[in-house]
Amino acid sequence: MQKQPAEKHLWWQTGVIYQIYPLSFMDSNGDGYGDLAGILSKLDYLKWLGVEAIWLSPIYPSPLADWGYDVSDYVGIHPLCGTMEDFDRLLAGCHERGLKLLLDFVPNHTSDQHPWFVESKSSRENPKRDWYLWKDGGRDGGAPNNWLSVFGGSAWERDEASGQYYLHSFLKEQPDLNWRNPEVQAAMLDVMRFWLEKGVDGFRVDALWHVIKDSHYRDNPLDPDYVKGEMLPYERFIPAYSGGQAELHEVVGLMRRLVNQYKERVLIGEMYLPIEELMGYYGRERDTGLHLPYNFQLIVLPWKAVEIFAGVNRYEASLPAFAWPNWVLGNHDKPRVATRVGAEQARIAAMLLLTLRGTPTIYCGDEIGMRNGKVPAERERDPVGRLLDSGKFGRDPERTPMQWSGGAGAGFTTGEPWLPVGEEAGRVNVEAQRGDEGSMLAFYRRLLALRRAEPALQIGEYVPAGQRGNLFAYLRELEDRCFLVAVNLGVTRARLAIPRHLDVTGEVVLATEPGRVGGQISQYINLEANEGLIARVKPCD
Ligand code: NOJ
């Protein structure tokens, strides 16, 4: 293998991002909702944990139909979250501590309460009519076409007053903006500029794939593989025309050109796409597309070594030469990793997240192994849970309050929490795990510390080292430093012979079984059930 000299990498490549779901992170005033002052009070914890950046899910004024993803003012702060002064204090607090702060940017849709939509809806002649996607009904007198909302039902809502329909890819309270209109582009770029000027370090761009639709509004084709009840009703059709059109790359280019005018800011895009398609969003060449199109493979692939290993290798092989990889284990839309794969495998998952090549994003609470909370029907908050089968698709369980300590409000609030505290909060909480070397929190901290200390784990090459049954292994190598990572995704003992051309004799430096640390490994890796280890080994030739 050719040795790569260490080149300069930027913070968003070497660092770890921590996603905060603000309403559930820390409540400073006892109203039951997390807020910006609460986040500020936890920055020292995040520093201690060892992350480099935080991304905040939306904190803007909003009627909260979709808990903030329905924005009614892009340049304000939701009163539940605090004030702009609180935001300025939080940003300063981050920067004082050497932490970066990313905001959620929601370009695809506004709230139906946003003044732009209120105007747009007021008449067919309103100058903002074309800021949204208005159409006459179809020939049959129904919706203009067969597009479905991700959250169920038609993506079109009829407005009685004008007789026309507007498009909403999500809730009807979230009308889609018309990004083909230059005025919309300018207004939304102004929003980004507002926050960039304030000094935010970048954006996670919400639902980016949906932003550009077919200009002819063609019907989506049926998906022959659709399984009713198992998949979202939305997935009945292949969304060939309702998103992801070629001109989306131009929109991404507009955003990127703006971000490029500022120093070391980052643009991350949320898009659940097959790898090959995802790669296109890095842009045709360096500095033209997203810095990081989110890679959700560790969420969407079955938790099997053969699938994950193949997925990692395919991802690595597909990356354009200039592109930087990234990994995600969970977020506020998906069941928590500890629920998905179990408490023990959640440690393996953490090991992968923090040692695969690329920028990791940790979802708040995963570092203590939080599992999905139980949310009884009468306390349900997520509109998706109410519109669809909540047991299957509802997102409240991964949004329950961060568990800081035992006791009634889990240290999150002194009031009544907006979502119930998880049942395990008495045991699974930061306070309890802080002093426990065997805890998930301590494990995350060790992984983060090792990653920070070892450039090979941040920017080193990725070299696959084999897979057999439930076990797979890979190397991370930079100049004369090399680490082997071996993980067992199964519940039985497993063994793997590392190919001879990779000499992996060395010493275990971190492991799920603390007793293994300091031990030697050789070409034959033996792992117990649910076991993972990182060893410092000889660099490849
Ligand atoms: C993706 C967000 O992560 C999700 O929470 C939201 O409901 C949709 N986009 C719509 O904005």
Side-chain angles (χ1 to χ4, degrees):
M1 204 190 75
Q2 224 194 333
K3 297 272 156 82
Q4 297 288 323
E7 54 174 276
K8 180 162 163 36
H9 286 73
L10 301 175
W11 67 267
W12 55 268
Q13 298 174 298
T14 55
V16 175
I17 301 171
Y18 182 93
Q19 180 195 353
I20 291 179
Y21 193 68
L23 294 177
S24 296
F25 194 62
M26 182 64 203
D27 172 17
S28 71
N29 61 1
D31 66 0
Y33 292 89
D35 48 44
L36 298 178
I39 298 172
L40 179 62
S41 73
K42 294 298 182 186
L43 291 184
D44 289 332
Y45 162 76
L46 296 171
K47 203 60 201 166
W48 169 85
L49 178 62
V51 299
E52 279 78 12
I54 58 175
W55 145 38
L56 308 183
S57 283
I59 52 172
Y60 317 109
S62 160
L64 304 180
D66 189 18
W67 295 103
Y69 284 96
D70 49 324
V71 181
S72 53
D73 173 6
Y74 285 101
V75 292
I77 300 295
H78 197 292
L80 283 179
C81 291
T83 62
M84 195 55 91
E85 288 68 46
D86 291 329
F87 177 80
D88 292 339
R89 270 192 287 277
L90 177 62
L91 184 60
C94 285
H95 289 168
E96 276 158 24
R97 291 167 177 83
L99 290 167
K100 307 288 184 185
L101 190 152
L102 311 179
L103 288 182
D104 217 307
F105 177 55
V106 188
N108 181 66
H109 44 266
T110 66
S111 158
D112 62 349
Q113 307 296 307
H114 195 294
W116 297 343
F117 187 72
V118 174
E119 271 196 57
S120 182
K121 195 180 169 185
S122 65
S123 84
R124 290 192 187 214
E125 286 71 43
N126 187 277
K128 291 219 167 47
R129 187 68 169 181
D130 188 48
W131 280 43
Y132 293 82
L133 297 162
W134 290 96
K135 294 283 286 175
D136 292 330
R139 253 175 280 154
D140 58 357
N145 65 18
N146 72 357
W147 296 355
L148 296 180
S149 151
V150 177
F151 294 162
S154 169
W156 296 96
E157 181 72 10
R158 191 176 133 88
D159 165 45
E160 290 306 323
S162 67
Q164 283 196 308
Y165 290 77
Y166 66 87
L167 184 74
H168 58 91
S169 297
F170 296 89
L171 298 176
K172 67 175 172 23
E173 292 84 358
Q174 294 169 296
D176 284 27
L177 282 162
N178 176 12
W179 269 85
R180 286 201 163 85
N181 182 329
E183 290 177 16
V184 170
Q185 294 178 1
M188 290 301 275
L189 291 180
D190 277 350
V191 168
M192 295 177 86
R193 198 173 290 114
F194 172 86
W195 294 108
L196 289 165
E197 288 293 329
K198 264 198 176 288
V200 307
D201 299 286
F203 303 97
R204 173 268 193 187
V205 186
D206 180 70
L208 183 53
W209 185 84
H210 293 267
V211 161
I212 296 286
K213 300 84 166 131
D214 178 37
S215 54
H216 302 294
Y217 293 88
R218 279 169 282 194
D219 276 347
N220 282 327
L222 276 171
D223 183 348
D225 299 326
Y226 177 66
V227 187
K228 201 174 168 188
E230 283 303 304
M231 296 159 76
L232 285 170
Y234 162 76
E235 292 171 308
R236 188 149 64 94
F237 295 100
I238 297 170
Y241 296 112
S242 50
Q245 301 300 294
E247 301 94 312
L248 178 54
H249 293 282
E250 289 163 29
V251 170
V252 173
L254 286 177
M255 293 178 184
R256 178 62 188 256
R257 278 199 290 286
L258 173 63
V259 169
N260 283 348
Q261 292 168 20
Y262 297 81
K263 204 165 164 250
E264 294 191 11
R265 313 294 168 96
V266 67
L267 204 52
I268 306 177
E270 186 219 20
M271 22 186 43
Y272 287 81
L273 290 178
I275 290 176
E276 293 68 26
E277 214 177 314
L278 192 68
M279 294 302 158
Y281 290 95
Y282 278 108
R284 266 194 229 287
E285 53 193 276
R286 196 180 283 275
D287 300 338
T288 61
L290 297 171
H291 294 88
L292 304 173
Y294 255 148
N295 163 22
F296 294 120
Q297 281 196 92
L298 293 179
I299 296 180
V300 298
L301 287 176
W303 199 251
K304 292 204 162 65
V306 61
E307 305 258 11
I308 303 281
F309 190 56
V312 171
N313 293 334
R314 207 152 55 87
Y315 179 72
E316 277 281 348
S318 312
L319 283 162
F322 60 84
W324 188 251
N326 74 87
W327 298 95
V328 188
L329 274 187
N331 57 41
H332 62 293
D333 294 327
K334 300 290 173 194
R336 282 196 178 269
V337 61
T339 297
R340 237 174 351 108
V341 303
E344 296 195 272
Q345 280 296 315
R347 293 192 183 217
I348 300 294
M351 197 174 252
L352 291 174
L353 177 72
L354 295 169
T355 62
L356 283 169
R357 191 174 76 95
T359 308
T361 300
I362 298 174
Y363 180 49
C364 55
D366 281 354
E367 76 275 22
I368 52 170
M370 272 177 70
R371 290 205 277 191
N372 278 359
K374 287 216 169 42
V375 181
E378 67 278 10
R379 293 207 56 184
E380 213 164 84
R381 299 296 204 126
D382 178 21
V384 172
R386 276 185 270 118
L387 291 170
L388 305 171
D389 173 353
S390 62
K392 203 164 259 147
F393 304 116
R395 302 171 296 179
D396 286 333
E398 56 264 26
R399 297 175 178 182
T400 58
M402 178 69 184
Q403 294 161 192
W404 296 105
S405 57
F412 160 74
T413 184
T414 51
E416 176 65 16
W418 77 291
L419 277 172
V421 163
E423 283 177 323
E424 299 176 330
R427 186 172 49 83
V428 180
N429 66 63
V430 172
E431 195 179 73
Q433 294 192 8
R434 242 186 137 128
D436 173 2
E437 274 309 296
S439 69
M440 182 66 145
L441 183 57
F443 186 67
Y444 256 93
R445 264 194 96 218
R446 278 200 291 278
L447 281 168
L448 285 159
L450 181 67
R451 191 189 150 90
R452 253 196 333 279
E454 292 293 349
L457 291 176
Q458 298 167 18
I459 60 171
E461 289 297 298
Y462 165 86
V463 183
Q467 175 258 326
R468 184 167 166 262
N470 292 323
L471 198 163
F472 72 88
Y474 53 89
L475 301 174
R476 297 295 314 283
E477 185 182 24
L478 183 75
E479 295 167 352
D480 61 347
R481 304 286 279 184
C482 187
F483 291 86
L484 174 102
V485 181
V487 288
N488 181 358
L489 269 59
V491 292
T492 51
R493 193 176 281 180
R495 178 179 167 90
L496 173 75
I498 303 288
R500 286 254 182 73
H501 70 277
L502 304 171
D503 177 357
V504 295
T505 40
E507 183 182 318
V508 177
V509 293
L510 200 156
T512 49
E513 278 307 312
R516 282 199 80 149
V517 175
Q520 296 294 309
I521 60 155
S522 68
Q523 290 309 106
Y524 296 96
I525 310 287
N526 290 297
L527 293 181
E528 298 297 325
N530 300 314
E531 200 183 5
L533 57 78
I534 306 172
R536 170 136 192 239
V537 298
K538 285 192 198 149
C540 321
D541 294 329

